[in-house]
Amino acid sequence: TLFRSAYVISEYCYSDWMELRHDIESALEQDIVDAFVICPNTIFNLTLAAEKMVSTEYNLPAITIKKSNTVIQCGKDGSRENKCIIVGGTNQIVINSSPSGVKLVGLTMLHSTNSAVNAAGDYNASATIYDCEFSSHFGPAAVLIHNSGSGGNYTEGELSESIPVILSSFREDMHNRNKDDEIQRRSVVQQMGNSMSVDFEYCTFSDNRVMYAAVVVVGGRARSINSVFSRNIAEVRTVLTLHYS
């Protein structure tokens, strides 16, 4: 891939979500620079039945990235054609705190109820998402970019609650210009501002039925290079960027 010369490719590959999550989050305390390679033809199903014969479901926890230069890629060459698929869950991958140089390469991310990537780092954080597919998400957005506050260290539950506050105010104010709503929205955007930067390269966003936008950016920066947005249904627009000075 574009990034292959930038890091060492591990000989080991992952096919178990919880093992991958453990090793990525444990790497924060270690001097690990290898890419985390997902085995080709792996499907991670994050939404599981609680018990046989019971319809109740529960979600496996998201992977949280806090270490700079963390790389998660599909197969040794990082190609989407290797079919590394993440399905379901609330948030699938969360970026927190101040990591720079994060890379997600060749992943197919489907059916989250909040976001595939919750990019909640501060203004020092950055990520490149390369050759990834985002499809059939039905939460607020497929990708959320915002500063979760307190150095980006929100819990997953708090992440799920933070974005709708500002977006609900934004939606209401689109139809009814209300001064109190605007003041509230400015306050929340300022609190969640100074967000991270995310580049999308050769990515596909398709068939997402999201509340607000396929990509929501609150006080941060998103750049799309050779990426395709198609057949997305969103209440606001394809990409929603909110800034207040």
Side-chain angles (χ1 to χ4, degrees):
T1 70
L2 176 66
F3 308 110
R4 184 163 185 173
S5 62
Y7 51 81
V8 177
I9 305 298
S10 174
E11 291 298 320
Y12 184 77
C13 69
Y14 293 84
S15 59
D16 181 273
W17 179 260
M18 295 306 289
E19 181 189 13
L20 175 61
R21 179 177 182 269
H22 173 270
D23 286 359
I24 288 173
E25 297 184 6
S26 297
L28 185 65
E29 303 172 0
Q30 304 172 28
D31 186 20
I32 296 175
V33 297
D34 288 357
F36 294 90
V37 177
I38 298 173
C39 302
N41 300 306
T42 292
I43 299 175
F44 295 118
N45 187 353
L46 306 192
T47 302
L48 303 174
E51 294 181 16
K52 292 182 179 179
M53 309 300 293
V54 177
S55 61
T56 304
E57 295 179 334
Y58 71 96
N59 294 318
L60 292 179
I63 287 172
T64 298
I65 298 173
K66 295 183 179 182
K67 182 180 169 111
S68 292
N69 303 313
T70 296
V71 179
I72 304 175
Q73 72 174 50
C74 183
K76 290 185 179 180
D77 63 354
S79 171
R80 198 192 315 177
E81 294 182 358
N82 292 325
K83 297 183 180 179
C84 301
I85 302 171
I86 304 170
V87 183
T90 307
N91 298 294
Q92 296 175 344
I93 295 176
V94 174
I95 302 172
N96 251 348
S97 193
S98 305
S100 61
V102 172
K103 297 177 178 66
L104 307 178
V105 185
L107 307 180
T108 297
M109 309 179 78
L110 311 173
H111 299 292
S112 70
T113 59
N114 192 67
S115 63
V117 177
N118 202 318
D122 64 23
Y123 66 94
N124 291 312
S126 63
T128 298
I129 301 177
Y130 184 85
D131 189 29
C132 290
E133 177 181 350
F134 299 86
S135 183
S136 301
H137 298 281
F138 48 94
V143 177
L144 303 176
I145 302 171
H146 64 107
N147 185 348
S148 63
S150 302
N153 293 308
Y154 266 19
T155 66
E156 184 169 332
E158 290 169 326
L159 288 170
S160 300
E161 296 172 359
S162 59
I163 283 289
V165 173
I166 174 62
L167 294 181
S168 294
S169 175
F170 178 85
R171 178 182 59 182
E172 292 169 5
D173 199 48
M174 287 176 63
H175 304 291
N176 179 19
R177 301 295 295 182
N178 183 295
K179 186 175 181 180
D180 290 338
D181 284 345
E182 183 172 349
I183 291 172
Q184 179 190 18
R185 191 171 67 252
R186 284 177 181 269
S187 174
V188 177
V189 171
Q190 288 169 354
Q191 177 183 345
M192 296 169 61
N194 295 320
S195 307
M196 65 181 294
S197 299
V198 180
D199 290 343
F200 301 94
E201 301 186 26
Y202 299 95
C203 291
T204 300
F205 291 79
S206 65
D207 300 302
N208 297 292
R209 300 179 63 91
V210 288
M211 282 185 273
Y212 303 105
V215 178
V216 171
V217 188
V218 183
R221 181 184 67 81
R223 182 175 62 168
S224 176
I225 302 172
N226 295 318
S227 294
V228 176
F229 294 78
S230 65
R231 302 186 306 277
N232 297 294
I233 298 175
E235 184 169 341
V236 181
R237 60 191 66 165
T238 300
V239 179
L240 172 62
T241 304
L242 302 177
H243 288 284
Y244 280 97
S245 58

